[in-house]
């Protein structure tokens, strides 16, 4: 394939959004290399300016911002020669050993929700210094289908972004929002999570905007989490508590994805069954809790779910997610297809009103359609596609990238460049900007809640438990 065909394709609206952006004397260099993040003393990284009045701004469009501040998107992405297809890249994520790559240590906070459910927020660095800059950006992560903070694609971003500047990192903070029942978070109600339910991320951001009142919150979503993040931003519009967002391998049109997964033999027998088995295993790990709510709709589905053997994803969704993937209403849905139609994130693109970067690979075997037309109509959206990369792969380099360990992920470079660019936007957008965004909050029955949103609220029930990245009990990367 020619070099020109390996260049990422960038798509913007005809009249992209305009911002005032902090001027840089020299381009910021984003560290993206080896595990130890060696300090390059010859490189002087641009420091985050705390006082906006001390920094001269320049007016810049979203297109100019991406083209000038995300140089990796203007150079070819060349996949590993031995992983030339999307199938190979996607399979490698599951089979390769990432346990010692990009280690991250977290401390977990559990939030009890008004409906009795629980989400787990994993923070890194686990022990920030007492003199931590209160304006240091916070990356808010939403993981994939049955993942969590342990996933290699999550750690690949946070390991560098959240390392101290003196060790070659960016000095940011990170928090992974582990969905209900995922990554060791207890299931405490008969409700799970889904590709379309956004009130739990609203709750997480309500808490984070209180914990970090002066810090910009930057969102990133992977796969299913990318869909949730897109929906949240589209639903909130100018009320978003996130200053900017980036989504990787967003599933977009879930109806089309389901047809592709169930319609082709390879997709049906490999990907659909792998994802279905993961969600089923997650369900079985919480079945005793579910049985403790005998009057719930999902409890009535237990016999049918427990009889599933190596199921396709749609079979699990038909009995589980369309019933208990969110609050009532809109759940339960009559069929999985009805749930898929509702949960698609491409419907929500028109409502986004913060800088938004979406990256998909054309050879992703799981994502069937990419919403080029919808994205082109929104001036806040930059849609990037690469010819290769698979589903959350984007591996580049030689057979072994770092002393026999898996090769690097190319996508890490544009993501970190995007975060640095977003932080430089001086417009008062999102939490930490000095502008009160989102709906007002109040304390009610011991919960901090959003006024008018009965399911958006929290009560801290535990904090401080150390969580180390390591082996996953389910198939990785899905």
């Amino acid at each position: 394939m020619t070099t020109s065909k390996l260049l990422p394709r960038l798509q913007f609206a005809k009249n992209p959004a305009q911002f005032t952006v902090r001027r840089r004397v020299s381009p910021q260099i984003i560290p993206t290399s080896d595990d130890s993040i060696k300090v390059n003393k010859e490189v002087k990284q641009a420091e985050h300016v705390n006082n906006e009045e001390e920094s001269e701004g320049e007016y810049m469009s979203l297109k100019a911002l991406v083209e000038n501040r995300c140089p990796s998107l203007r150079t070819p992405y060349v996949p590993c020669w031995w992983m030339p297809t999307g199938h190979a890249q996607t399979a490698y994520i599951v089979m390769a050993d990432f346990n010692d790559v990009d280690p991250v240590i977290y401390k977990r906070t559990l939030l009890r929700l008004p409906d009795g459910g629980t989400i787990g927020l994993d923070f890194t660095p686990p022990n920030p210094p007492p003199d931590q800059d209160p304006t240091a950006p916070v990356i808010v992560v939403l993981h994939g289908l049955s993942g969590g903070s342990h996933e290699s694609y999550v750690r690949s971003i946070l390991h560098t972004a959240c390392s101290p500047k003196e060790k070659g990192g960016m000095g940011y903070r990170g928090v992974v929002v582990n969905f209900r029942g995922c990554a060791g978070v207890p299931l405490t109600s008969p409700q799970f999570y889904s590709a379309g339910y956004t009130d739990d991320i609203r709750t997480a951001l309500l808490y984070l905007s209180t914990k970090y009142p002066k810090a910009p919150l930057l969102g990133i979503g992977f796969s299913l989490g990318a869909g949730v993040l897109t929906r949240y931003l589209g639903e909130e519009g100018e009320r978003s508590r996130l200053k900017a967002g980036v989504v990787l391998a967003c599933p977009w049109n879930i109806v089309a994805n389901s047809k592709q997964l169930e319609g082709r033999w390879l997709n049906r027998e490999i990907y659909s069954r792998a994802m279905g088995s993961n969600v089923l295993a997650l369900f079985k790990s919480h079945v005793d809790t579910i049985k403790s709510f005998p009057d719930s709709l999902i409890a009535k589905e237990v016999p049918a779910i427990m009889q599933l053997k190596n199921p396709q994803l749609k079979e699990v969704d038909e009995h589980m997610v369309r019933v208990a993937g969110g609050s009532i209403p809109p759940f339960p849905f009559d069929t999985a297809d009805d749930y898929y139609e509702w949960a698609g994130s491409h419907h929500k693109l028109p409502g986004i009103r913060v800088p938004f970067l979406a990256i998909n690979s054309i050879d992703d075997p799981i994502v069937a359609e990419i919403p080029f037309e919808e994205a082109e109509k929104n001036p806040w959206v930059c849609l990037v596609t690469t010819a290769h990369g698979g589903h959350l792969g984007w591996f580049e380099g030689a057979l072994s990238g770092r002393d026999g360990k898996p090769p690097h992920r190319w996508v890490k470079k544009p993501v970190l460049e995007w975060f640095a660019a977003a932080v430089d936007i001086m417009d008062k957008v999102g939490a930490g900007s000095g502008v009160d965004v989102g709906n007002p909050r109040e304390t009610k029955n011991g919960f901090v809640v959003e006024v008018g949103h009965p399911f958006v609220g929290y009560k801290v029930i535990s904090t401080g438990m150390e969580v180390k990245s390591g082996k996953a009990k389910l198939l990785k990367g899905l």
Side-chain angles (χ1 to χ4, degrees):
M1 182 175 286
T2 62
T3 300
S4 61
K5 292 184 179 180
L6 294 174
L7 282 169
R9 177 180 182 268
L10 280 62
Q11 178 181 288
F12 302 90
K14 291 181 179 179
N15 297 299
Q18 304 278 330
F19 320 103
T20 302
V21 181
R22 186 172 293 109
R23 190 185 300 274
R24 287 184 184 159
V25 177
S26 59
Q28 184 172 11
I29 306 300
I30 305 299
T32 58
S33 57
D34 62 26
D35 296 341
S36 60
I37 318 180
K38 296 178 181 178
V39 179
N40 184 349
K41 295 183 179 179
E42 297 178 356
V43 174
K44 294 183 179 180
Q45 295 183 346
E47 295 290 331
H48 174 59
V49 180
N50 295 329
N51 189 339
E52 293 180 356
E53 296 179 355
E54 297 176 359
S55 177
E56 182 182 359
E58 56 183 322
Y59 207 51
M60 188 179 292
S61 70
L62 175 65
K63 185 174 186 290
L65 181 73
V66 172
E67 292 177 345
N68 289 307
R69 302 295 179 91
C70 302
S72 63
L73 292 177
R74 293 185 284 107
T75 58
Y77 160 55
V78 181
C80 298
W81 64 266
W82 50 281
M83 283 191 282
T85 68
H87 292 299
Q89 294 244 353
T90 305
Y92 185 77
I93 298 171
V94 176
M95 296 185 297
D97 183 1
F98 294 93
N99 292 328
D100 297 325
V101 175
D102 299 323
V104 177
I105 299 177
Y106 306 93
K107 278 195 174 177
R108 174 167 293 180
T109 293
L110 295 179
L111 301 182
R112 182 61 44 78
L113 312 178
D115 64 8
T118 302
I119 57 174
L121 307 186
D122 287 352
F123 293 85
T124 192
N127 299 300
D131 59 348
Q132 171 78 64
D133 179 2
T135 68
V138 178
I139 300 173
V140 184
V141 182
L142 299 183
H143 59 77
L145 178 66
S146 51
S149 59
H150 58 275
E151 293 286 3
S152 64
Y153 54 76
V154 171
R155 303 190 329 258
S156 70
I157 302 299
L158 296 185
H159 178 69
T160 299
C162 299
S163 290
K165 292 181 180 179
E166 59 268 22
K167 292 185 178 180
M170 298 174 69
Y172 288 13
R173 295 169 287 187
V175 54
V176 183
V177 182
N178 297 289
F179 299 136
R180 303 178 187 222
C182 290
V185 174
L187 190 72
T188 55
S189 77
Q191 178 179 320
F192 278 88
Y193 61 97
S194 70
Y197 187 68
T198 53
D199 276 353
D200 286 354
I201 179 59
R202 283 187 180 84
T203 292
L205 292 172
L206 182 68
Y207 173 72
L208 294 171
S209 62
T210 302
K211 184 178 177 67
Y212 302 116
K214 297 182 179 181
L217 305 180
L218 310 172
I220 180 170
F222 301 87
S223 192
L224 178 140
V228 175
L229 180 59
T230 302
R231 286 178 60 86
Y232 165 79
L233 291 173
E235 291 166 358
E236 291 299 302
E238 295 177 351
R239 299 187 307 275
S240 166
R241 287 194 162 94
L242 293 170
K243 183 181 181 73
V246 54
V247 295
L248 306 181
C250 186
W252 303 113
N253 187 333
I254 303 178
V255 173
N257 294 342
S258 177
K259 290 179 180 178
Q260 177 169 288
L261 281 174
E262 309 306 327
R264 300 178 183 177
W265 183 89
L266 179 63
N267 292 350
R268 181 175 63 250
E269 297 303 317
I270 302 298
Y271 301 118
S272 183
R273 292 196 188 280
M275 291 188 287
S277 295
N278 259 14
V279 179
L280 177 60
L282 190 68
F283 178 89
K284 288 182 176 180
S285 70
H286 298 293
V287 70
D288 289 340
T289 297
I290 295 167
K291 289 180 178 178
S292 70
F293 297 94
D295 295 330
S296 66
L297 295 174
I298 189 63
K300 295 176 173 58
E301 296 286 340
V302 167
I305 296 174
M306 296 301 287
Q307 289 179 7
L308 295 174
K309 306 294 182 185
N310 190 27
Q312 297 172 29
L313 180 60
K314 190 171 184 179
E315 293 179 271
V316 181
D317 287 340
E318 192 69 60
H319 290 287
M320 175 187 164
V321 181
R322 64 107 186 158
V323 175
S327 60
I328 303 173
F331 289 84
F333 289 91
D334 291 338
T335 67
D337 286 330
D338 291 335
Y339 155 65
Y340 293 157
E341 180 63 37
W342 169 81
S345 54
H346 61 301
H347 301 303
K348 302 295 184 178
L349 269 175
I352 293 175
R353 292 295 181 272
V354 298
F356 183 76
L357 178 70
I359 306 179
N360 284 89
S361 66
I362 298 298
D363 67 357
D364 187 329
I366 293 173
V367 178
E369 293 183 0
I370 298 173
F372 293 105
E373 292 185 8
E374 293 93 333
E376 192 175 26
K377 296 175 182 177
N378 190 328
W380 296 88
V381 174
C382 171
L383 177 58
V384 178
T385 51
T386 57
H388 303 285
H391 191 72
L392 293 177
W394 288 292
F395 295 105
E396 65 177 351
L399 182 62
S400 56
R402 33 197 167 178
D403 300 326
K405 296 177 183 178
H408 294 282
R409 280 180 159 99
W410 164 85
V411 78
K412 173 180 180 178
K413 290 180 283 187
V415 167
L416 296 184
E417 291 166 354
W418 170 256
F419 283 149
V423 169
D424 277 345
I425 295 174
M426 299 172 68
D427 299 55
K428 294 184 180 298
V429 178
S433 65
V435 176
D436 187 19
V437 296
N439 293 304
R441 65 196 76 193
E442 63 181 352
T443 300
K444 190 174 183 179
N445 298 323
F447 288 86
V448 177
V449 298
E450 269 195 355
V451 176
H453 284 73
F455 297 111
V456 178
Y458 66 86
K459 178 193 299 182
V460 177
I461 58 173
S462 73
T463 188
M465 182 180 75
E466 186 174 283
V467 177
K468 294 184 178 180
S469 57
K471 295 183 178 180
K473 295 181 180 180
L474 305 176
L475 292 176
K476 306 178 302 255
L478 298 175

